[in-house]
Amino acid sequence: MLDPARRTLAVKARGLTLTETPVRQLSRLVFRPLFGSGEAPPLEAPAIWRVVRGPGDTDRETIAPTTLRPYSEEEERAEPTPTATPAPGAEPTEGKPSTYRVALDNGWQLLITDAPPRLGWLRRFGASVADGWQRLRGREPSHPPLVALVLAGEDARALHHLFRSGAAILVAPAG
Amino acid sequence: MIPSTPPPSLAAAPPEQPLAGAAARRRGAGLARALRLAGLALAAVAIVGTGAAAGLARYGGAYAGSDFETRLALPPGDELPRDPEAKASRLEQRLARPVRANEVYVTVDTHRNVLRIFRGEELLREAICSTGSGVRLLDPRNGKEWIFDSPQGELRIWRKRRNPVWVKPDWAFIEEGYEPPKGMRDRIDDFSLGDYALDMPDGYIIHGTLFQTLLGKRVTHGCIRLGDDDLEFAYKTVPVGARVFLY
């Protein structure tokens, strides 16, 4: 549940708050001409946004054996089994990014990041030049509107796997 | 009488010096001209480049930020409940009391790999577990795909077993590079799940492990693995029908 008024992103089930993450900054990012104005399409709330495609769908290691050999019980039994003491603590952050996008069913994307988006004039000018160059070459880059959530890096990584297709995000009114 | 030697001032100067000075002046002038040309060229490039960049920038666009605002969306008046405030209050009460005061339930944090057992609001046990690796496995024979995620959401324990036996599915062999055996005998595994198993729907199980060193890591095929003592506690404490919240 995204609560813009309280600036929190919470995982809830039947009223239980399983985990709650503070949102440091919440903003809308809309692609528009550098020398012009563009209005962001309105976001309605309360609403349920559904994840169409997220990092929980795409950021995966793939195991793809090219051939299979006949099963051998003896061969499998020969493999050693480690039975040492349990690891003392969890290892939560391995390999997960702290900045990623989540495509939503309303055409918007969530930008989860641990650093505020840099939107200074020079940076926007550079981005506009790059975008203009792409368009000049006949490419039409996709720039969906974004809801940017700035979280602590560890929090962003902790939520990474939850954004799978079908996941529902309840959005409360901004107040 | 005319002297045969030049005056000392002229005679002291070596004959090459005027030529060297002129050459140096020519070199200096050439360098200055080259610098001027380079400057002009740079200025031209800068002007053309800036113009081109400005043109490209006008042609393209960039993200601009604004405050997060929402527009209140309510159903049309005739679709509103008769007493919306009363309905909202009832819903809020239902949501606020999702589990009974003494209900035993389980939460699994699949990021931090921590399983917790609660009775109402009391935390009974916190245990390090292993959860789904998120790996995708492809069958080279037909392209069939398995994704080893732990589920998310709410499940229930529907069965508990002592000394559980695991009937190994195809992926357990393919992952090791074996062809799945035809007969059942090779699929029976009576040691990998540990002493107890708490079954949830769709084949997900809370069970033990031979790989104690991997507790706290995302290494499973979607099941939740616990250490021996924690598994025994879960088996004895968590009843059939208990909710399991995975996130």
Side-chain angles (χ1 to χ4, degrees):
Chain A
M1 176 179 173
L2 173 63
D3 188 339
R6 291 182 57 228
R7 292 285 172 107
T8 55
L9 190 60
V11 179
K12 293 191 170 213
R14 295 187 175 273
L16 289 172
T17 299
L18 300 171
T19 181
E20 189 170 79
T21 302
V23 177
R24 292 178 174 173
Q25 189 180 317
L26 182 61
S27 59
R28 294 186 306 171
L29 304 181
V30 178
F31 196 84
R32 66 185 194 202
L34 185 65
F35 303 108
S37 61
E39 284 299 313
L43 278 170
E44 294 189 336
I48 291 178
W49 298 343
R50 288 202 179 274
V51 174
V52 175
R53 195 184 64 258
D57 298 309
T58 53
D59 295 357
R60 295 187 182 281
E61 180 191 347
T62 297
I63 298 174
T66 50
T67 55
L68 299 177
R69 59 192 186 281
Y71 176 68
S72 157
E73 194 176 359
E74 288 72 30
E75 191 182 335
E76 191 180 51
R77 276 190 180 159
E79 291 178 12
T81 301
T83 54
T85 50
E91 189 185 8
T93 58
E94 49 186 300
K96 288 186 176 180
S98 56
T99 295
Y100 48 89
R101 289 194 188 194
V102 180
L104 302 171
D105 61 350
N106 61 358
W108 286 65
Q109 289 190 358
L110 281 182
L111 170 65
I112 308 289
T113 178
D114 60 348
R118 297 170 71 178
L119 300 168
W121 196 87
L122 269 180
R123 186 163 286 271
R124 292 190 60 224
F125 180 79
S128 294
V129 171
D131 182 64
W133 176 244
Q134 293 292 321
R135 287 172 195 276
L136 198 65
R137 296 173 69 194
R139 297 175 187 165
E140 283 293 325
S142 170
H143 301 290
L146 306 174
V147 173
L149 278 76
V150 182
L151 312 176
E154 172 60 20
D155 290 337
R157 283 186 281 270
L159 295 172
H160 176 273
H161 68 294
L162 295 178
F163 293 111
R164 295 182 199 160
S165 57
I169 304 168
L170 174 61
V171 184
Chain B
M1 183 179 142
I2 298 169
S4 62
T5 55
S9 61
L10 292 176
E16 299 82 7
Q17 200 166 5
L19 292 175
R25 278 194 297 277
R26 276 200 302 277
R27 275 201 301 274
L31 187 62
R33 197 164 49 246
L35 283 173
R36 271 199 305 276
L37 282 174
L40 281 171
L42 273 175
V45 166
I47 289 167
V48 170
T50 306
L56 284 173
R58 281 185 68 87
Y59 192 44
Y63 277 105
S66 61
D67 290 339
F68 185 83
E69 293 170 344
T70 55
R71 189 174 66 192
L72 195 61
L74 292 174
D78 55 345
E79 290 180 23
L80 278 173
R82 282 183 199 160
D83 188 352
E85 286 187 7
K87 185 172 183 185
S89 175
R90 282 198 302 276
L91 284 172
E92 203 168 350
Q93 282 177 9
R94 275 176 56 193
L95 286 172
R97 287 201 296 271
V99 291
R100 293 184 305 277
N102 289 320
E103 182 175 338
V104 174
Y105 63 92
V106 179
T107 69
V108 182
D109 180 339
T110 60
H111 173 66
R112 295 184 175 83
N113 294 299
V114 175
L115 179 145
R116 296 182 180 91
I117 302 173
F118 291 88
R119 177 179 287 121
E121 293 184 353
E122 181 190 0
L123 175 64
L124 302 177
R125 188 87 165 196
E126 182 171 285
I128 298 169
C129 62
S130 295
T131 58
S133 64
V135 163
R136 192 165 66 115
L137 173 67
L138 296 177
D139 186 335
R141 301 168 303 170
N142 52 23
K144 189 175 177 183
E145 175 185 279
W146 292 270
I147 291 178
F148 299 138
D149 277 334
S150 290
Q152 293 175 7
E154 179 186 326
L155 302 179
R156 282 183 186 266
I157 303 293
W158 69 273
R159 182 175 67 170
K160 298 200 294 186
R161 291 180 284 159
R162 292 186 74 142
N163 302 317
V165 172
W166 182 37
V167 180
K168 293 166 76 171
D170 285 356
W171 54 255
F173 298 94
I174 293 167
E175 184 183 38
E176 302 293 332
Y178 294 119
E179 291 171 4
K182 297 276 190 288
M184 273 298 280
R185 196 180 61 84
D186 289 330
R187 291 180 181 261
I188 300 297
D189 175 338
D190 57 2
F191 58 93
S192 290
L193 300 187
D195 295 335
Y196 307 97
L198 291 82
D199 291 287
M200 298 179 284
D202 298 327
Y204 296 106
I205 310 171
I206 298 173
H207 61 74
T209 180
L210 301 171
F211 303 95
Q212 304 271 320
T213 49
L214 299 181
L215 288 170
K217 297 178 188 292
R218 289 183 292 273
V219 293
T220 78
H221 303 93
C223 289
I224 312 299
R225 294 181 192 165
L226 285 173
D228 295 341
D229 293 343
D230 293 323
L231 181 65
E232 184 174 3
F233 183 87
Y235 179 81
K236 290 179 175 169
T237 311
V238 178
V240 169
R243 299 178 218 260
V244 183
F245 299 104
L246 301 107
Y247 63 99

